[in-house]
Amino acid sequence: GTTPRAQYDTWAVALDSKQSANTLLKRLRNHSLPIMGVVQQDKVLLYPVTLFDDELEIIERCLAMLTSEANF
Protein backbone atom coordinates (compact mmCIF):
# COMPACT_ATOMS: atom_id res chain seq x y z
CA GLY A 1 0.00 0.00 0.00
CA THR A 2 0.94 3.63 0.13
CA THR A 3 1.72 3.48 3.85
CA PRO A 4 3.75 0.29 4.31
CA ARG A 5 4.94 1.23 7.81
CA ALA A 6 1.48 2.15 9.09
CA GLN A 7 0.00 -0.09 11.76
CA TYR A 8 -3.70 -0.67 12.17
CA ASP A 9 -5.60 -2.37 14.95
CA THR A 10 -7.21 -5.59 13.77
CA TRP A 11 -8.23 -9.00 14.99
CA ALA A 12 -8.25 -12.50 13.60
CA VAL A 13 -9.91 -15.85 14.18
CA ALA A 14 -7.27 -18.49 15.01
CA LEU A 15 -8.03 -22.04 13.90
CA ASP A 16 -6.47 -24.85 15.90
CA SER A 17 -6.44 -28.31 14.35
CA LYS A 18 -4.87 -31.75 14.62
CA GLN A 19 -3.73 -31.15 11.04
CA SER A 20 -0.73 -28.96 10.45
CA ALA A 21 -1.62 -25.33 9.90
CA ASN A 22 -0.20 -25.51 6.38
CA THR A 23 -2.36 -28.55 5.53
CA LEU A 24 -5.48 -26.86 6.89
CA LEU A 25 -4.75 -23.65 5.01
CA LYS A 26 -4.24 -25.62 1.80
CA ARG A 27 -7.63 -27.30 2.28
CA LEU A 28 -9.28 -23.94 2.89
CA ARG A 29 -7.67 -22.46 -0.21
CA ASN A 30 -8.81 -25.45 -2.28
CA HIS A 31 -12.43 -25.01 -1.20
CA SER A 32 -14.92 -24.32 -4.01
CA LEU A 33 -14.81 -20.69 -2.88
CA PRO A 34 -11.18 -20.32 -1.75
CA ILE A 35 -10.81 -19.19 1.86
CA MET A 36 -7.64 -17.20 2.34
CA GLY A 37 -5.76 -16.92 5.59
CA VAL A 38 -2.23 -16.86 6.93
CA VAL A 39 -0.21 -19.18 9.14
CA GLN A 40 1.33 -17.76 12.30
CA GLN A 41 2.61 -19.76 15.27
CA ASP A 42 1.23 -23.04 13.85
CA LYS A 43 -2.32 -21.69 13.57
CA VAL A 44 -4.38 -20.56 10.60
CA LEU A 45 -5.57 -16.98 11.03
CA LEU A 46 -8.63 -15.62 9.24
CA TYR A 47 -9.24 -11.89 9.19
CA PRO A 48 -13.03 -11.31 9.14
CA VAL A 49 -12.62 -7.58 8.44
CA THR A 50 -11.73 -8.56 4.86
CA LEU A 51 -15.00 -10.46 4.35
CA PHE A 52 -18.51 -9.56 3.35
CA ASP A 53 -21.38 -10.78 5.54
CA ASP A 54 -22.59 -13.34 2.99
CA GLU A 55 -19.07 -14.82 2.82
CA LEU A 56 -19.11 -15.49 6.57
CA GLU A 57 -21.91 -18.03 6.04
CA ILE A 58 -19.86 -19.84 3.40
CA ILE A 59 -16.86 -19.99 5.70
CA GLU A 60 -19.03 -21.21 8.56
CA ARG A 61 -20.34 -24.08 6.41
CA CYS A 62 -16.85 -24.98 5.21
CA LEU A 63 -15.47 -25.01 8.76
CA ALA A 64 -18.44 -27.08 9.97
CA MET A 65 -17.70 -29.63 7.24
CA LEU A 66 -14.00 -29.72 8.09
CA THR A 67 -14.54 -29.98 11.85
CA SER A 68 -16.94 -32.90 11.40
CA GLU A 69 -14.04 -34.92 9.98
CA ALA A 70 -12.22 -37.20 12.43
CA ASN A 71 -8.75 -35.73 11.84
CA PHE A 72 -9.62 -32.05 12.28
Side-chain angles (χ1 to χ4, degrees):
T2 59
T3 56
R5 291 185 179 88
Q7 294 184 359
Y8 302 97
D9 291 333
T10 190
W11 61 280
V13 175
L15 303 178
D16 196 10
S17 173
K18 293 177 187 174
Q19 302 173 29
S20 75
N22 287 322
T23 298
L24 178 57
L25 184 60
K26 183 176 181 179
R27 293 184 71 197
L28 292 170
R29 288 180 177 172
N30 288 330
H31 188 263
S32 58
L33 176 67
I35 298 172
M36 307 308 287
V38 296
V39 173
Q40 287 184 359
Q41 298 177 341
D42 294 325
K43 294 191 186 311
V44 174
L45 301 181
L46 303 178
Y47 290 91
V49 298
T50 64
L51 302 171
F52 294 107
D53 289 342
D54 60 333
E55 293 172 325
L56 292 174
E57 293 174 18
I58 295 167
I59 291 172
E60 181 180 8
R61 286 194 305 269
C62 176
L63 292 176
M65 180 191 67
L66 288 174
T67 58
S68 69
E69 296 174 2
N71 65 342
F72 186 82

